Amino acid sequence: MQWAEASLAELWRCFLPGRQTAEAASRLAEAPARTRACASLLEAASVAARAGDQHSLEAFELVVTKLFDGLRALSDERRPPDDTPDAARRPRALFLCAVLLCQGAFASAPPECVARHTEQTLRALLRLSEGAVLAPQLAQLEALVLEQLPSAECLVDMTMELASGEEPPRETQQALVLRWLVAALELPRLAGALHANLPRLVHCALHLEAPATAAADLLFAALHSLCVDEEAHCALAMELIHLLVARCKQALSVEASMHPHRPPTGGGSMTSPLATVPSDSRRGSSDDAEALCDLCFRLTIALELPLLTSALSAAEELVTGCPAAWQCTRSAATLREAISNSFESDLKHLLVQWLLRLRAKILSQLPPREAVS
């Protein structure tokens, strides 16, 4: 396997910064071709390990060790500031290189070999996530790795590490970890193990940067993976919903303290608490409270019947308990829009009737001069 090790060593040189810009650019330009060549060599080694003897298996393991050692060295490298175009392309090229190499190494490898290196593969991608991009090869590698992942414990650990780090995680880091959690929840073998940790995972996601975006897919996937006809799963689902509602209340409280008299956004007004807020008015908003409430309402109306009554009560409490009056107006408008856009035809009539009762309750609480005739 010396030829594979030598090829990897040549490939790593493509990502090292040169003393001159032209030198670094020339080496980086060689990376795609060298990556494809190394991936082919790794695939050949994995095929030999699958069909060969113990010696072939040991040789393959040695090459895989060299692969991860090289990726770690490049991810740990501290480069001087460099604003050249090639410096900006290097992280992306390195991430795609890692994806292709790992895919080549494990696509045909013995399952037990893949299982031994699943966590190592995921952590290598995380370390190189500065250049993370969505690509078909990434999806294929993720599916391969998660299918052979011995335990979901490493995914839980990675999520906790995101929240406990001294510095905020990169957006691409949290996107990758949450993407893997969502995919794992679709695999029955891993979903069962994740269920016990769902409250911790959701709590963590709700306290990351842009919490509504971070937690949305995880919450929908988590609730979809639960069988709410079972008492234990139903209780777990409600715990997740209450975590989201509590986070909404926290964000609303912070927002109200910063903007106690801020006027409603969009088309809302105090005289029409259930007026529609155009969806464009929220696009690109950095307001955590608004985005979290929107997520809460969309999630609520998508729930199954065993959860719906309790979830609607929590949503009503959220709308009517906003610290500022303008927040109540906005939340009611957001809720109305969510129900209007709902495709749950079997429940639509029930949701509309509930919304009308909520509207009457809100109007009864407004001062006389603000009530709608």
Side-chain angles (χ1 to χ4, degrees):
M1 297 290 179
Q2 292 181 349
W3 34 269
E5 295 179 30
S7 296
L8 284 173
E10 288 297 318
L11 174 59
W12 303 147
R13 291 183 58 200
C14 295
F15 297 101
L16 297 176
R19 294 181 179 179
Q20 298 180 357
T21 302
E23 177 189 359
S26 175
R27 287 209 299 254
L28 188 61
E30 298 175 6
R34 290 189 179 277
T35 297
R36 289 191 293 270
C38 285
S40 297
L41 292 175
L42 288 168
E43 185 174 5
S46 70
V47 171
R50 189 180 189 114
D53 53 17
Q54 184 64 25
H55 175 73
S56 299
L57 185 59
E58 291 174 356
F60 173 70
E61 288 288 342
L62 180 60
V63 172
V64 170
T65 299
K66 295 290 185 181
L67 166 63
F68 285 117
D69 286 347
L71 291 175
R72 177 180 286 278
L74 288 171
S75 66
D76 291 343
E77 184 186 46
R78 295 292 181 265
R79 302 186 186 91
D82 188 350
D83 58 358
T84 63
D86 289 318
R89 287 196 294 267
R90 189 177 292 113
R92 178 175 178 176
L94 182 54
F95 181 83
L96 289 173
C97 170
V99 169
L100 292 174
L101 292 178
C102 290
Q103 187 183 31
F106 298 126
S108 301
E112 61 273 16
C113 289
V114 181
R116 277 197 295 272
H117 297 289
T118 49
E119 181 175 355
Q120 204 171 9
T121 302
L122 295 177
R123 289 193 177 276
L125 295 178
L126 267 190
R127 286 193 296 270
L128 298 171
S129 63
E130 180 185 355
V133 290
L134 291 178
Q137 295 89 342
L138 174 61
Q140 294 165 9
L141 177 62
E142 290 170 330
L144 173 66
V145 169
L146 291 175
E147 189 65 38
Q148 297 296 333
L149 191 67
S151 165
E153 193 63 34
C154 70
L155 297 178
V156 177
D157 292 341
M158 290 178 196
T159 309
M160 296 301 108
E161 289 165 11
L162 289 181
S164 61
E166 294 182 0
E167 297 181 359
R170 284 194 295 265
E171 183 180 351
T172 48
Q173 279 184 314
Q174 70 180 47
L176 280 175
V177 173
L178 294 169
R179 173 183 167 96
W180 298 336
L181 282 174
V182 169
L185 284 167
E186 297 175 358
L187 300 173
R189 180 178 59 84
L190 297 177
L194 285 174
H195 285 166
N197 291 286
L198 279 178
R200 295 170 60 206
L201 295 171
V202 169
H203 180 272
C204 174
L206 287 171
H207 288 81
L208 292 173
E209 189 78 16
T213 302
D217 288 343
L218 177 59
L219 275 165
F220 277 100
L223 292 170
H224 181 72
S225 72
L226 296 171
C227 180
V228 295
D229 290 328
E230 297 180 11
E231 184 177 351
H233 279 201
C234 186
L236 177 56
M238 283 309 306
E239 183 177 357
L240 301 183
I241 294 167
H242 287 309
L243 280 173
L244 175 57
V245 171
R247 183 68 178 90
C248 289
K249 290 179 178 179
Q250 180 188 38
L252 286 167
S253 178
V254 171
E255 183 185 53
S257 67
M258 296 173 62
H259 308 285
H261 306 296
R262 174 181 165 184
T265 58
S269 68
M270 287 306 297
T271 59
S272 182
L274 297 182
T276 301
V277 177
S279 57
D280 287 347
S281 69
R282 288 198 302 274
R283 193 168 297 160
S285 172
S286 60
D287 190 338
D288 286 349
E290 186 174 6
L292 282 165
C293 288
D294 178 64
L295 170 61
C296 182
F297 299 147
R298 287 189 292 111
L299 188 70
T300 296
I301 63 176
L303 294 173
E304 298 181 41
L305 275 175
L307 299 171
L308 191 58
T309 301
S310 298
L312 289 178
S313 297
E316 178 177 335
E317 180 185 346
L318 185 61
V319 173
T320 58
C322 290
W326 64 265
Q327 290 176 317
C328 176
T329 299
R330 184 190 64 190
S331 296
T334 303
L335 178 57
R336 179 186 186 277
E337 183 183 7
I339 292 177
S340 297
N341 294 335
S342 170
F343 293 100
E344 296 291 337
S345 56
D346 294 339
L347 298 176
K348 191 80 172 248
H349 178 71
L350 173 66
L351 291 171
V352 170
Q353 293 300 315
W354 172 79
L355 183 65
L356 291 174
R357 291 193 297 271
L358 177 59
R359 178 181 185 275
K361 181 176 181 178
I362 294 174
L363 291 176
S364 69
Q365 294 176 349
L366 290 175
R369 68 177 184 277
E370 296 178 349
V372 178
S373 58

